[in-house]
């Protein structure tokens, strides 16, 4: 069920169903005008197999909205043009057509990158066959699913004359804005699982800004 946000009496009220009266002050919301109209929050999770040429993140076990406590391990992969997810673990490279139905998705290719659009699938398949991604090369901390995905991204960047990204830079610049938004949404989801409302005074509400990372391709 969607998460709604209502702004009233210098507070933000998060809920599943819009209330007739403000739970913070008791005021009537039905005649409070457009400023108090309920707004549906953007859900940060996507059906990964419907996200072509993207970097995907999901929990290693369960899904974000069912069973994930915010502290478990995450798994990452790269989709081809058909939404098949290439991901790496101790069994080697997998090509998954299911299992990523609730993912954080970071697009990798802009619509105007014509040459890359045409060759993406071949590049990804050839990369996945490299010896570096054989099962025995897997190491949980140093050579894992993240290593696989970042190495592919950096390989494409090098081919386009761009410098490779270090793990820390990649994480801070491109991943954290998306995972932070997902974390905020999950926090609201957990609060509303046990309460009809979650109220945040506007003085405590941080201004949300769109990240530059979300507006540019990783491969630029």
């Amino acid at each position: 069920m969607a998460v709604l946000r209502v702004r009233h009496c210098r507070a933000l009220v998060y809920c599943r169903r819009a209330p007739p009266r403000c739970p913070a002050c008791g005021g009537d919301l039905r005649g409070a005008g457009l400023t108090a109209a309920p707004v549906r929050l953007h859900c940060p999770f996507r059906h990964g197999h419907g996200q072509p040429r993207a970097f995907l993140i999901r929990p290693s076990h369960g899904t974000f909205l069912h069973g994930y406590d915010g502290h478990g391990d995450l798994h990452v992969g790269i989709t081809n043009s058909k939404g098949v997810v290439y991901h790496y673990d101790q069994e080697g490279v997998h090509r998954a057509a299911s299992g990523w139905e609730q993912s954080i998705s970071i697009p990798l290719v802009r619509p105007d990158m014509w040459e890359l659009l045409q060759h993406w699938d071949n590049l990804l398949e050839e990369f996945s066959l490299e010896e570096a991604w054989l099962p025995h090369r897997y190491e949980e901390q140093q050579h894992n699913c993240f290593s696989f995905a970042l190495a592919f991204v950096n390989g494409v960047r090098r081919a386009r004359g761009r410098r490779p990204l270090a793990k820390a830079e990649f994480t801070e610049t491109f991943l954290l804005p998306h995972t932070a938004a997902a974390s905020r949404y999950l926090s609201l989801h957990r609060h509303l699982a046990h309460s009809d409302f979650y109220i945040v005074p506007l003085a405590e509400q941080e201004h949300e800004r769109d990240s530059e990372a979300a507006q540019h391709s990783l491969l630029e």
Side-chain angles (χ1 to χ4, degrees), residues 57-153:
I57 307 171
R58 67 164 171 79
S60 295
H61 304 285
T63 65
F64 280 113
L65 296 177
H66 297 92
Y68 184 66
D69 62 2
H71 303 289
D73 290 337
L74 297 174
H75 195 51
V76 305
I78 303 284
T79 56
N80 69 6
S81 65
K82 299 177 179 63
V84 175
V85 185
Y86 284 63
H87 60 105
Y88 178 63
D89 62 15
Q90 62 270 22
E91 297 178 354
V93 177
H94 301 264
R95 297 158 182 80
S98 63
W100 296 73
E101 288 78 12
Q102 197 177 101
S103 304
I104 297 171
S105 175
I106 304 170
L108 294 175
V109 185
R110 292 198 320 267
D112 62 350
M113 294 178 169
W114 305 111
E115 185 175 357
L116 195 52
L117 289 171
Q118 292 179 340
H119 297 290
W120 185 263
D121 288 0
N122 287 337
L123 291 172
L124 185 54
E125 179 63 25
E126 290 173 5
F127 175 80
S128 72
L129 297 175
E130 292 180 3
E131 185 178 348
W133 313 116
L134 292 174
H136 72 275
R137 299 291 297 275
Y138 180 84
E139 201 283 316
E140 185 174 3
Q141 298 300 322
Q142 300 297 327
H143 196 74
N144 50 33
C145 62
F146 193 92
S147 308
F148 173 83
L150 181 56
F152 176 72
V153 168

Side-chain angles (χ1 to χ4, degrees), residues 32-54:
L34 287 177
T35 57
V39 176
R40 180 172 179 165
L41 294 191
H42 168 76
C43 179
F45 308 118
R46 294 286 177 268
H47 193 303
H49 301 288
Q51 304 293 312
R53 307 177 187 90

